[in-house]
C-alpha cells in the first residue's frame, strides 16, 4: 500500500525590520500533517520482486538543505530453504539489497534517514537488522539525485519463490522538523 500526504500551507517568509536579509517563518511548503504509521501485514506474492511497503515523500519536501525524513520498516521471514531478498528503494534507486538467511525464521528491520543537501540532491543512511539463529546487521550511506519537484517514493520489496516468505507488518514515515 502506498500513502500520499495532504499538502499543508505554511505562512510565507517575511523580512525583519532593519535586517531585510533575515527571514522569519517557513516558505510555502508541502508538509506531512502527521507521521504515516501502517501496521497491516503484507507479504510477497509470486517469485517476482514485490512491493511489501511504500510511502511517498511529498513533492518539494526535500528541496531545501537540511529537510529530512526518517523511515522504519519491519517484518518477518519464514523457515524454509527458499532464497529470499529484501531491497530498500529511495525513489528509483535500490540503496540496499540484502539476502535473508535461508532455513530459519525470524524478524527483519530497516531504519533509514534521507535529507536534503540541496535541490535535487540528497544524502541517506540506512541500518538493516536480521534476527534469528543467524543474526545480521549492516549499514550503508551515500548520496542521491532524486528530483524534488515530484513525490519521492520510499519502498521495501521482497523477492522469494513462495507467497509470504517475506512480510512487512509495520512501517513508519516521519518528517524530521
Amino acid at each position: 500500500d502506498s500513502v500520499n500526504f495532504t499538502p499543508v500551507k505554511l505562512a510565507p517568509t517575511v523580512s525583519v525590520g532593519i535586517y531585510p536579509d533575515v527571514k522569519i517563518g517557513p516558505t510555502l511548503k508541502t508538509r506531512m500533517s502527521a507521521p504515516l504509521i501502517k501496521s497491516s501485514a503484507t507479504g510477497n506474492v509470486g517469485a517476482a520482486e514485490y512491493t511489501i511497503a511504500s510511502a511517498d515523500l511529498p513533492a518539494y519536501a526535500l528541496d531545501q538543505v537540511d529537510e529530512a525524513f526518517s523511515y522504519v520498516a519491519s517484518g518477518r521471514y519464514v523457515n524454509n530453504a527458499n532464497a529470499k531478498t529484501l531491497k530498500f528503494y529511495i525513489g528509483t534507486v535500490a540503496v540496499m539489497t540484502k539476502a535473508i538467511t535461508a532455513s530459519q525464521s525470524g524478524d527483519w528491520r530497516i531504519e533509514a534517514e534521507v535529507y536534503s543537501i540541496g535541490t535535487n540532491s540528497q544524502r541517506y543512511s540506512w541500518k538493516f537488522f536480521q534476527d534469528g539463529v543467524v543474526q545480521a546487521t549492516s549499514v550503508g550511506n551515500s548520496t542521491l539525485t532524486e528530483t524534488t519537484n515530484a513525490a519521492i517514493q520510499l519502498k521495501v520489496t521482497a523477492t522469494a519463490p513462495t507467497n509470504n516468505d517475506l512480510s512487512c507488518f509495520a512501517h513508519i514515515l516521519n518528517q524530521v522538523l
Side-chain angles (χ1 to χ4, degrees), residues 20 41 46-47 57 83 98 103 110 113 146 153-154 159:
L57 299 178
K98 289 293 165 193
S103 300
I110 298 168
E113 296 83 30
E146 293 293 318
Q153 186 178 59
L154 305 179
T159 305

Side-chain angles (χ1 to χ4, degrees), residues 15-29:
S15 296
V16 180
I18 60 172
Y19 303 104
D21 57 335
V22 175
K23 306 291 184 183
I24 291 181
T27 58
L28 185 62
K29 298 292 294 174

Side-chain angles (χ1 to χ4, degrees), residues 1 30 40 65-66 77 81 83 90-91 93 105 121 127-128 154 172:
D1 293 326
T30 300
S40 61
V65 173
D66 294 336
Y77 58 97
I90 300 174
V93 179
S105 62
S121 185
K127 292 181 268 185
F128 172 78
L154 305 179
I172 302 167

Side-chain angles (χ1 to χ4, degrees), residues 16-82:
V16 180
I18 60 172
Y19 303 104
D21 57 335
V22 175
K23 306 291 184 183
I24 291 181
T27 58
L28 185 62
K29 298 292 294 174
T30 300
R31 298 281 187 206
M32 288 175 49
S33 55
L36 160 68
I37 301 173
K38 181 120 175 78
S39 60
S40 61
T42 302
N44 69 291
V45 176
E49 185 176 12
Y50 187 82
T51 300
I52 58 174
S54 69
D56 291 335
L57 299 178
Y60 301 103
L62 289 173
D63 68 332
Q64 294 186 23
V65 173
D66 294 336
E67 292 179 316
F69 286 83
S70 63
Y71 184 71
V72 175
S74 57
R76 294 198 51 79
Y77 58 97
V78 299
N79 183 354
N80 60 34
N82 294 341

